[in-house]
Amino acid sequence: MSAADVIRIAQAVFTVSDLQASRDFYVNLLGMNVLHEDAGALYLRGVEDREWTLKLEQASSGEEPRVRHLGYRVRDEQSLDALVQLAEEQQLPYRWEEELDRPRMLRLQDPFGIPVAFYHQVKTHPWLLQDYHLHRGGGLQRVDHCNVRVPDVKATMDWYAEHLGFRLSEYTVDEQDQWWAAWIQRRGGVHDFALTNGPGPCLHHWAYWMPDIGSIIRTCDILAGARQPERIERGPGRHGVSNAFFLYVRDPDGHRIELYTSDYITVDPDFEPIRWLRDDPRRQTLWGAKTPRSWFEEASPMEAFAGGVQPAVKGRLEGIPVHVI
Amino acid sequence: MSAADVIRIAQAVFTVSDLQASRDFYVNLLGMNVLHEDAGALYLRGVEDREWTLKLEQASSGEEPRVRHLGYRVRDEQSLDALVQLAEEQQLPYRWEEELDRPRMLRLQDPFGIPVAFYHQVKTHPWLLQDYHLHRGGGLQRVDHCNVRVPDVKATMDWYAEHLGFRLSEYTVDEQDQWWAAWIQRRGGVHDFALTNGPGPCLHHWAYWMPDIGSIIRTCDILAGARQPERIERGPGRHGVSNAFFLYVRDPDGHRIELYTSDYITVDPDFEPIRWLRDDPRRQTLWGAKTPRSWFEEASPMEAFAGGVQPAVKGRLEGIPVHVI
Amino acid sequence: MSAADVIRIAQAVFTVSDLQASRDFYVNLLGMNVLHEDAGALYLRGVEDREWTLKLEQASSGEEPRVRHLGYRVRDEQSLDALVQLAEEQQLPYRWEEELDRPRMLRLQDPFGIPVAFYHQVKTHPWLLQDYHLHRGGGLQRVDHCNVRVPDVKATMDWYAEHLGFRLSEYTVDEQDQWWAAWIQRRGGVHDFALTNGPGPCLHHWAYWMPDIGSIIRTCDILAGARQPERIERGPGRHGVSNAFFLYVRDPDGHRIELYTSDYITVDPDFEPIRWLRDDPRRQTLWGAKTPRSWFEEASPMEAFAGGVQPAVKGRLEGIPVHVI
Amino acid sequence: MSAADVIRIAQAVFTVSDLQASRDFYVNLLGMNVLHEDAGALYLRGVEDREWTLKLEQASSGEEPRVRHLGYRVRDEQSLDALVQLAEEQQLPYRWEEELDRPRMLRLQDPFGIPVAFYHQVKTHPWLLQDYHLHRGGGLQRVDHCNVRVPDVKATMDWYAEHLGFRLSEYTVDEQDQWWAAWIQRRGGVHDFALTNGPGPCLHHWAYWMPDIGSIIRTCDILAGARQPERIERGPGRHGVSNAFFLYVRDPDGHRIELYTSDYITVDPDFEPIRWLRDDPRRQTLWGAKTPRSWFEEASPMEAFAGGVQPAVKGRLEGIPVHVI
């Protein structure tokens, strides 16, 4: 049982090679909302978010764009104390950091090399949910989940379940019943965090909840209207896993964003995780659509605790699903 | 048989008491697109329109806002000649006018006092239909129809049918089988022009086609977000007549705009007009929703040929439908 | 602090005067799914529900249709023990009952006269969520919440908060800052349970989550197609409270069902409940639409613990909101 | 100038190898409506269609499923006379046939080998448009257009324009400005008839207008729910050409059906056809999605005038567009 009470996935920090180009993508095309900006960073949120949920930082010249950390909100300060204790017991590197509106953020590196941050205190802001006259683009609503490519899905999932209380909602195995992917959650939806087999740790994607399918279609149209259809990597479609309607887009540095809507609730104590075979045609896309190879092969590097990029370790399982183009 | 070939309803000119307030409503809230503007006028269009379809003119101080004319596109210059001949035969007042991008516009007053304009030549502009990154608000798509309140629906309809080739798609009668309303068309949809019994001639509403139901819902949300819910007069809902999904909003001067989507086609030569009883609960709104009294009682005055406001004549039939709130 | 861990609102049992007529409404028109039926009862669910969530029982001849109970799922058997202890401490009448698939259900009467059931054990069934070829009607997805009209909103809310751990998400006060309504939750959405001032206890409505706005519109169209528009009482529209898109329909006995979609999450520990003034025009419907008087004045009686109908007590506050038709 | 007044594309007759399997696809999954059936045939329509618009005939044993003809409604009997005269002048084979509800149908073979039927008289039936309680599946609304693969797009288009009065709305050329595809219309929308370069004549697809995007998404979900995702060949997506939202599905014999919504109007006399380059990434799908090779390479054979299958002639232009998977 976990001593820390993790509420939900809450924030990510990306470095980007050209903050102006990223702004154009996230703000002008996707329609994210700028909560704050300074010389080197942009703090973005969806219309339901009461805090910034994505920070974009100008990368140093020559530095490869990366994910600085993924962050979770915890219930209280005691949860942070429990996390410090966990880090010490397991000899995980950690330090206290500060971010805008979050004066006390614990950053640690999990045993799999993922840079994770936790915070309780946060300054919130009035949301924009009912300020519909200010919504732009597809109207991204709130942070929904992150998806990380890791070498060992099962081990990673087990650690998050045991130490942070994550619960499994769906999972994928190969023909030998080895774990290919897992969707785990704290918030009662399908997932706060998903894990996929492959070289890592790398961020596969960062996801926002959308108000509806029409908003996702509108985002496609807007990207096409701006003559940037190449930003659309996969979808729109409906996932077999999660039953959600989705779209994957790539930002100017290749960071992948998912626009996601319509999953289901998982709060029941006897909820039985849903099992999928890796090569079931309905798993990736309920409609049987194949997935572009880049979706399996490309992901964002993550920052190492000591700085620089965390080297990626080869995935435990070889290959990729067969429904690929 | 008509000698003039009317293509479709194409434009309206409204005078407004405060052009800046109207701009805020039509451009910032509804999301109409400014094609041109000068000191005293704004030329607006939907994203599919290749020409301006609504011109707003600053009214002179103290002058009651009104509709200067409703305009139709005709197939060729011969159609204009035929209309001049018609005007002379019937002793209808007419004159040649000019509007932006329309160098040769025939304006006449029909036998019922409605100021109508016809033009063939027009300078078109690239549309915005696939420039989705430039769409704003609900994304009004194209002019769809006008609805005029007239004292004698049947006589007006007959004249438009006989002299301008309009065809009937739906109509409403009262218990004595007297005509209460008619929907007539040239373009193969449900209507270019609708007629409703009441004091007139007055413009009941001017309508734009919307891309879908979601866009109409979004318009409601935007008006609510801007803390102007009072702009919404009726709907959203589905009309029994036309089967279209609709919303009625009122501009700052009370001019009524309908946002409209999803009717049907009427091109077949044996298309049988659909008959409704005035007090059938499914006629006004298929879902049985009642209509606000203002919707029956308020309408925009029209300009008289000689200037000033055309005096309204009492409707032939008394009363209003019973499904009213 | 509560010793019982309530997961979510989970079931309701209604008695109806004509089970066949109710079946036609719920199954043929709304598209609910029959999980089980026997001579005198129908067990219904949405496509995401893994258990029945609404049971309809044929009422005895001459008996007024009523709500037999509202039921919550709890985390474990210990929660049931804690509830028994609570009932004994507060001298609330209780007994053990059985329902189909729920062998051990604790039924008690709360201090306000509401018949409430709690269960942990349940036999679940494969859901229909991805069996889209079996969805019918609007595709009702899952039970979302109940709304009960009570004489004293504040006292009722406080009891559920103190003893069952409910958390407040939104509330409404009158000009004297007296509580008119409250929305409280266990599951991390806007509400499992809402309370409205008025004679009670009576069920105001029972609500299902819908997949999207289009599904709600489709339900309106289906009811209109079946020439039963009078089943639609209010909406569709967007609530100011909850920001959800809604429709209220009435079953053949007048039991009110809400179809509901698109609220927001409330899991954060510092979530600040949203306060509304009773007569704010945007509270009931964000778009300013008025509410039919019946919506405030009519509700379903509830069963008393000893049988028969629980007598309704007058509401603490007089009157109804001003935005009424 | 044409002497025949063609109103619109109106019907198709397909032969199928297993009428029961086809029924399951068209009626149970797509939700088409059976207007009539007899031992060897099924007459289907959309909810707005007042006549059958697709007839499925059981093919003789061993016979390759094919398209027996594509049919147009004409304005009057004189139009049929004019077509007979045209056939005689051009020595096109023709004969009078009968179909259910169409006592006098002129069938001819156009100069390019396409079997085409024309009729004026037809027995119509009450539509189902407002009988929403009877709609099933995605709710296919009305026949929209056909698309035929022909060896010489330009020559075919010119003949239909010159002799039948079709007007061009969009077209595609290759790098040498040779015509690759054309969309031509009679009804004032984007097309009644589209032509694509390739071996032919073969039917590329037969299309129905859908009420909205959501209905197309629902069709995908239904096919997936029925575990027949392989019926989905391409989409959903938005075409660059026509701006419509589309889905292509294949029936059990491989006949291709398009579900289509949201194009634009083309009634203006100075409408300028839109020109696309064959390999523009936004042409096929505005969002840049590639097209499955089968979409370019597979099509339904057509019946020869004397019976049997019309042999396909090689397309004038080689190759297929580059945006293919």
Side-chain angles (χ1 to χ4, degrees):
Chain A
M1 178 60 195
S2 161
D5 189 345
V6 174
I7 300 293
R8 59 176 179 87
I9 183 73
Q11 68 180 31
V13 179
F14 294 174
T15 67
V16 300
S17 58
D18 177 347
L19 193 56
Q20 193 51 44
S22 295
R23 182 193 185 98
D24 188 57
F25 176 73
Y26 286 99
V27 178
N28 295 344
L29 296 179
L30 293 195
M32 291 200 73
N33 305 286
V34 179
L35 186 59
H36 184 75
E37 61 182 310
D38 55 37
L42 212 48
Y43 298 82
L44 305 176
R45 59 168 173 165
V47 295
E48 184 184 328
D49 292 325
R50 296 177 194 263
E51 352 169 343
W52 62 264
T53 49
L54 179 60
K55 177 184 175 187
L56 303 177
E57 280 183 25
Q58 175 64 51
S60 306
S61 165
E63 191 186 82
E64 185 183 8
R66 70 194 65 169
V67 175
R68 299 209 53 214
H69 71 249
L70 302 171
Y72 295 90
R73 182 92 193 272
V74 298
R75 183 165 304 280
D76 42 35
E77 293 292 320
Q78 296 89 303
S79 290
L80 295 178
D81 297 341
L83 286 160
V84 167
Q85 194 183 328
L86 174 69
E88 299 212 329
E89 281 168 14
Q90 303 207 349
Q91 296 183 292
L92 305 175
Y94 73 91
R95 63 177 172 254
W96 293 96
E97 294 190 352
E98 252 181 77
E99 279 287 0
L100 177 73
D101 293 338
R102 290 151 177 86
R104 200 171 130 80
M105 189 179 81
L106 176 67
R107 175 182 174 148
L108 57 77
Q109 185 171 287
D110 78 15
F112 315 96
I114 306 172
V116 199
F118 300 90
Y119 67 94
H120 168 63
Q121 290 178 50
V122 63
K123 178 172 185 289
T124 59
H125 301 262
W127 69 13
L128 303 172
L129 186 59
Q130 295 189 321
D131 286 336
Y132 286 101
H133 58 309
L134 304 181
H135 295 198
R136 289 161 304 101
L140 277 71
Q141 189 162 337
R142 64 172 176 258
V143 59
D144 189 82
H145 66 263
C146 63
N147 184 312
V148 177
R149 204 173 62 189
V150 294
D152 190 333
V153 165
K154 184 67 165 55
T156 310
M157 179 194 75
D158 285 344
W159 189 86
Y160 275 84
E162 183 179 352
H163 299 293
L164 299 178
F166 280 74
R167 293 175 289 267
L168 181 65
S169 50
E170 305 203 22
Y171 63 106
T172 299
V173 295
D174 68 10
E175 297 293 330
Q176 285 73 45
D177 225 32
Q178 301 180 97
W179 287 63
W180 173 267
W183 288 260
I184 61 180
Q185 60 89 15
R186 282 294 304 164
R187 203 188 48 215
V190 174
H191 56 320
D192 289 272
F193 184 19
L195 302 161
T196 309
N197 177 77
C202 290
L203 180 71
H204 189 274
H205 62 262
W206 179 249
Y208 280 88
W209 182 268
M210 299 296 288
D212 52 30
I213 289 176
S215 302
I216 290 179
I217 302 294
R218 191 155 71 251
T219 302
C220 295
D221 285 334
I222 290 170
L223 290 168
R227 275 61 178 175
Q228 299 189 34
E230 69 282 4
R231 295 268 173 251
I232 301 172
E233 184 186 35
R234 181 183 171 197
R238 187 180 299 283
H239 281 308
V241 173
S242 82
N243 198 47
F245 195 88
F246 71 87
L247 179 76
Y248 293 94
V249 294
R250 304 293 293 272
D251 86 359
D253 290 298
H255 298 312
R256 184 182 289 110
I257 300 292
E258 183 180 13
L259 307 183
Y260 179 95
T261 193
S262 298
D263 62 10
Y264 56 88
I265 65 167
T266 57
V267 294
D268 281 348
D270 54 0
F271 175 83
E272 270 185 60
I274 298 171
R275 179 178 178 275
W276 295 86
L277 279 176
R278 199 194 71 168
D279 292 335
D280 179 341
R282 293 169 71 252
R283 188 189 71 95
Q284 293 162 203
T285 306
L286 197 64
W287 309 335
K290 294 181 177 176
T291 302
R293 184 169 293 275
S294 63
W295 195 88
F296 289 110
E297 296 185 343
E298 300 173 12
S300 297
M302 286 179 150
E303 191 172 74
F305 192 78
V309 158
Q310 180 78 17
V313 175
K314 200 161 134 319
R316 212 169 146 270
L317 306 184
E318 299 285 335
I320 59 172
V322 300
H323 296 281
V324 74
I325 50 180
Chain B
M1 179 55 195
S2 161
D5 189 346
V6 175
I7 300 293
R8 59 176 179 88
I9 184 72
Q11 69 180 30
V13 179
F14 294 174
T15 68
V16 299
S17 58
D18 177 346
L19 192 58
Q20 193 51 43
S22 295
R23 181 193 186 98
D24 188 56
F25 177 74
Y26 285 99
V27 179
N28 296 343
L29 295 179
L30 294 194
M32 290 199 74
N33 305 286
V34 179
L35 186 59
H36 185 75
E37 62 182 307
D38 55 39
L42 213 47
Y43 299 82
L44 305 176
R45 61 168 172 165
V47 295
E48 184 184 327
D49 292 326
R50 297 177 193 262
E51 349 168 344
W52 62 265
T53 49
L54 179 59
K55 177 185 176 186
L56 303 177
E57 280 183 24
Q58 175 64 51
S60 307
S61 167
E63 189 186 84
E64 185 182 10
R66 69 194 63 166
V67 175
R68 298 208 55 212
H69 71 249
L70 302 171
Y72 295 91
R73 182 95 195 269
V74 297
R75 183 166 305 279
D76 42 33
E77 292 292 320
Q78 294 90 307
S79 291
L80 295 179
D81 297 341
L83 286 160
V84 167
Q85 193 184 330
L86 175 69
E88 299 210 329
E89 280 168 15
Q90 303 207 349
Q91 295 183 293
L92 306 175
Y94 73 91
R95 64 176 172 254
W96 293 96
E97 294 190 352
E98 249 180 82
E99 280 287 1
L100 177 73
D101 293 339
R102 291 151 176 84
R104 198 171 132 80
M105 189 179 81
L106 175 68
R107 177 184 174 146
L108 57 78
Q109 187 172 282
D110 79 13
F112 315 96
I114 306 173
V116 199
F118 300 91
Y119 66 94
H120 167 62
Q121 290 176 51
V122 63
K123 177 172 184 291
T124 60
H125 300 263
W127 69 14
L128 303 171
L129 186 59
Q130 296 190 321
D131 286 336
Y132 286 99
H133 58 309
L134 304 181
H135 295 198
R136 289 159 307 100
L140 279 70
Q141 189 163 336
R142 63 172 178 257
V143 60
D144 189 83
H145 66 264
C146 63
N147 183 311
V148 176
R149 205 173 63 189
V150 295
D152 190 333
V153 165
K154 184 67 164 58
T156 311
M157 181 195 74
D158 286 344
W159 189 85
Y160 276 84
E162 182 179 352
H163 299 292
L164 298 179
F166 279 74
R167 294 176 288 267
L168 181 65
S169 50
E170 306 203 21
Y171 63 107
T172 298
V173 295
D174 68 10
E175 297 293 331
Q176 285 73 45
D177 224 33
Q178 301 180 95
W179 288 63
W180 173 266
W183 287 260
I184 60 180
Q185 59 88 18
R186 283 293 304 163
R187 202 189 47 216
V190 173
H191 56 321
D192 289 89
F193 183 19
L195 303 162
T196 309
N197 177 76
C202 291
L203 181 72
H204 189 275
H205 62 259
W206 179 249
Y208 281 88
W209 183 267
M210 299 295 288
D212 52 31
I213 289 175
S215 301
I216 290 178
I217 302 294
R218 192 157 68 250
T219 302
C220 294
D221 286 334
I222 290 170
L223 290 167
R227 274 61 177 174
Q228 299 189 34
E230 69 281 4
R231 296 267 173 253
I232 301 173
E233 183 186 35
R234 179 182 173 198
R238 186 180 300 282
H239 281 309
V241 173
S242 82
N243 199 46
F245 195 89
F246 70 87
L247 179 76
Y248 293 94
V249 294
R250 304 291 293 271
D251 85 359
D253 289 296
H255 297 311
R256 186 181 287 110
I257 300 292
E258 182 179 15
L259 308 183
Y260 178 96
T261 194
S262 298
D263 61 10
Y264 57 86
I265 64 166
T266 57
V267 293
D268 281 348
D270 54 359
F271 175 83
E272 270 185 60
I274 298 171
R275 180 178 179 273
W276 294 87
L277 278 176
R278 198 194 73 167
D279 291 335
D280 179 340
R282 295 167 71 254
R283 185 189 74 94
Q284 292 162 206
T285 307
L286 197 66
W287 311 334
K290 294 179 177 179
T291 302
R293 182 170 294 276
S294 63
W295 194 88
F296 288 111
E297 296 185 344
E298 300 175 11
S300 297
M302 286 178 150
E303 192 173 73
F305 192 77
V309 158
Q310 180 77 18
V313 175
K314 201 161 131 324
R316 211 168 147 270
L317 306 184
E318 299 284 336
I320 59 172
V322 300
H323 295 281
V324 75
I325 50 180
Chain C
M1 178 56 196
S2 161
D5 189 346
V6 174
I7 300 292
R8 58 177 179 87
I9 183 76
Q11 68 181 30
V13 179
F14 294 174
T15 67
V16 300
S17 58
D18 177 347
L19 193 57
Q20 193 50 43
S22 295
R23 182 193 183 98
D24 188 56
F25 176 73
Y26 286 99
V27 178
N28 296 344
L29 295 179
L30 293 195
M32 289 199 76
N33 306 285
V34 179
L35 186 59
H36 185 75
E37 62 182 311
D38 53 39
L42 212 48
Y43 299 82
L44 304 175
R45 60 168 172 165
V47 295
E48 184 184 326
D49 291 327
R50 297 177 193 261
E51 350 168 345
W52 62 264
T53 49
L54 178 60
K55 178 185 175 187
L56 304 177
E57 280 183 24
Q58 175 63 54
S60 306
S61 165
E63 192 187 82
E64 185 183 8
R66 69 195 62 166
V67 175
R68 299 208 55 214
H69 72 247
L70 302 171
Y72 295 91
R73 182 95 194 270
V74 298
R75 182 166 305 280
D76 42 35
E77 292 293 319
Q78 294 91 304
S79 290
L80 295 177
D81 298 341
L83 287 159
V84 167
Q85 193 183 329
L86 174 69
E88 299 212 328
E89 281 168 14
Q90 302 208 351
Q91 297 182 291
L92 305 174
Y94 74 91
R95 64 175 172 254
W96 293 96
E97 294 189 351
E98 251 180 78
E99 281 286 3
L100 177 73
D101 293 340
R102 292 153 176 84
R104 201 172 129 80
M105 190 179 81
L106 176 68
R107 177 184 173 145
L108 56 78
Q109 186 172 282
D110 79 14
F112 315 95
I114 306 173
V116 198
F118 300 90
Y119 67 94
H120 168 62
Q121 290 177 50
V122 64
K123 177 171 185 291
T124 59
H125 301 263
W127 69 13
L128 304 171
L129 186 59
Q130 296 190 320
D131 286 336
Y132 286 100
H133 57 311
L134 305 180
H135 295 198
R136 289 162 305 102
L140 279 71
Q141 189 163 337
R142 63 171 177 258
V143 59
D144 189 82
H145 66 264
C146 63
N147 184 311
V148 177
R149 204 172 63 187
V150 294
D152 190 332
V153 165
K154 184 67 165 58
T156 310
M157 179 194 75
D158 285 345
W159 189 86
Y160 275 83
E162 184 180 349
H163 299 292
L164 298 179
F166 279 74
R167 293 176 289 267
L168 181 66
S169 51
E170 306 204 21
Y171 63 106
T172 298
V173 295
D174 68 9
E175 297 292 331
Q176 286 71 46
D177 224 32
Q178 301 179 97
W179 287 64
W180 173 266
W183 288 259
I184 62 181
Q185 60 88 17
R186 282 293 304 162
R187 203 188 47 217
V190 173
H191 57 321
D192 289 89
F193 185 17
L195 303 161
T196 310
N197 177 78
C202 291
L203 180 71
H204 189 274
H205 63 262
W206 179 249
Y208 281 89
W209 182 266
M210 300 295 287
D212 52 31
I213 289 176
S215 302
I216 291 179
I217 302 295
R218 190 155 70 250
T219 302
C220 294
D221 286 333
I222 289 170
L223 290 167
R227 274 61 179 174
Q228 300 188 34
E230 68 282 4
R231 296 267 174 253
I232 302 173
E233 183 186 36
R234 180 184 174 198
R238 187 181 298 285
H239 281 308
V241 172
S242 82
N243 198 47
F245 196 88
F246 70 89
L247 179 76
Y248 293 94
V249 295
R250 303 293 292 271
D251 85 0
D253 289 297
H255 297 311
R256 186 181 286 109
I257 301 291
E258 182 180 13
L259 307 183
Y260 178 95
T261 193
S262 296
D263 62 9
Y264 56 87
I265 64 166
T266 57
V267 294
D268 281 348
D270 53 359
F271 175 83
E272 271 185 60
I274 298 171
R275 181 178 178 274
W276 294 88
L277 280 175
R278 200 194 70 168
D279 292 334
D280 179 340
R282 294 168 71 251
R283 186 189 74 93
Q284 293 162 204
T285 306
L286 198 65
W287 310 334
K290 294 179 178 178
T291 302
R293 183 170 295 274
S294 64
W295 194 88
F296 288 110
E297 296 185 343
E298 300 172 12
S300 297
M302 285 177 152
E303 192 173 72
F305 191 77
V309 158
Q310 179 77 19
V313 175
K314 199 161 133 323
R316 211 169 148 271
L317 306 183
E318 300 283 337
I320 59 171
V322 301
H323 295 281
V324 75
I325 48 179
Chain D
M1 179 56 194
S2 162
D5 189 346
V6 174
I7 299 293
R8 59 176 177 87
I9 183 75
Q11 69 180 30
V13 179
F14 294 174
T15 66
V16 299
S17 56
D18 177 345
L19 193 56
Q20 194 50 44
S22 295
R23 182 192 184 97
D24 188 57
F25 177 74
Y26 285 99
V27 179
N28 296 345
L29 296 178
L30 293 194
M32 290 199 75
N33 306 286
V34 178
L35 186 60
H36 185 75
E37 62 182 309
D38 55 38
L42 212 49
Y43 299 81
L44 305 176
R45 61 169 173 165
V47 296
E48 184 184 327
D49 292 326
R50 297 178 193 261
E51 350 169 343
W52 62 263
T53 49
L54 178 60
K55 177 184 176 187
L56 303 178
E57 279 183 24
Q58 175 64 53
S60 307
S61 166
E63 190 186 84
E64 185 182 10
R66 67 193 67 165
V67 175
R68 298 208 55 212
H69 71 248
L70 301 171
Y72 294 91
R73 182 95 195 270
V74 298
R75 182 165 305 281
D76 43 33
E77 292 293 320
Q78 295 90 305
S79 290
L80 295 178
D81 298 342
L83 286 160
V84 167
Q85 191 183 332
L86 174 69
E88 298 210 330
E89 281 169 13
Q90 303 208 352
Q91 297 183 292
L92 305 175
Y94 73 91
R95 63 176 172 252
W96 293 96
E97 294 190 352
E98 250 180 81
E99 279 288 0
L100 177 74
D101 293 339
R102 291 154 176 85
R104 199 171 131 81
M105 189 179 80
L106 176 68
R107 177 184 171 146
L108 57 78
Q109 186 173 283
D110 80 12
F112 315 95
I114 306 173
V116 199
F118 300 90
Y119 67 94
H120 168 62
Q121 290 176 51
V122 64
K123 176 170 186 290
T124 59
H125 300 263
W127 69 13
L128 303 172
L129 186 60
Q130 295 189 322
D131 285 337
Y132 285 101
H133 58 310
L134 304 180
H135 295 198
R136 289 162 306 101
L140 278 71
Q141 188 163 336
R142 63 172 176 260
V143 60
D144 189 82
H145 67 264
C146 63
N147 183 311
V148 177
R149 205 173 62 188
V150 294
D152 189 333
V153 166
K154 183 69 164 57
T156 310
M157 180 194 75
D158 285 344
W159 189 86
Y160 276 84
E162 182 179 351
H163 299 292
L164 299 178
F166 280 75
R167 292 175 289 268
L168 181 65
S169 49
E170 305 204 21
Y171 63 107
T172 299
V173 295
D174 69 9
E175 297 292 331
Q176 285 72 46
D177 225 33
Q178 301 180 96
W179 287 63
W180 173 265
W183 288 259
I184 61 180
Q185 59 89 16
R186 283 293 304 162
R187 200 188 52 215
V190 173
H191 57 321
D192 289 89
F193 185 18
L195 304 162
T196 310
N197 177 77
C202 290
L203 180 70
H204 189 273
H205 62 261
W206 178 248
Y208 281 89
W209 182 267
M210 300 296 288
D212 52 31
I213 289 175
S215 301
I216 291 179
I217 302 293
R218 192 156 68 251
T219 302
C220 294
D221 286 334
I222 289 170
L223 290 168
R227 276 59 177 176
Q228 299 188 33
E230 69 282 3
R231 296 266 174 255
I232 302 172
E233 183 186 37
R234 179 182 173 199
R238 186 180 298 283
H239 281 308
V241 173
S242 83
N243 199 45
F245 195 88
F246 70 89
L247 180 75
Y248 293 94
V249 295
R250 303 292 292 271
D251 85 0
D253 290 298
H255 298 311
R256 187 182 285 110
I257 301 292
E258 182 179 15
L259 307 182
Y260 178 96
T261 193
S262 296
D263 61 10
Y264 56 87
I265 63 167
T266 56
V267 293
D268 281 347
D270 54 0
F271 176 82
E272 270 185 59
I274 298 171
R275 180 178 179 274
W276 294 88
L277 279 176
R278 200 194 70 167
D279 292 335
D280 179 340
R282 295 168 72 252
R283 185 188 75 94
Q284 294 162 203
T285 307
L286 198 64
W287 310 335
K290 294 179 177 179
T291 302
R293 182 169 295 274
S294 63
W295 195 88
F296 288 110
E297 296 186 344
E298 300 173 12
S300 297
M302 286 177 151
E303 192 173 72
F305 192 76
V309 159
Q310 180 77 16
V313 174
K314 201 161 133 323
R316 212 169 147 270
L317 305 184
E318 300 284 336
I320 59 173
V322 300
H323 295 281
V324 76
I325 50 178

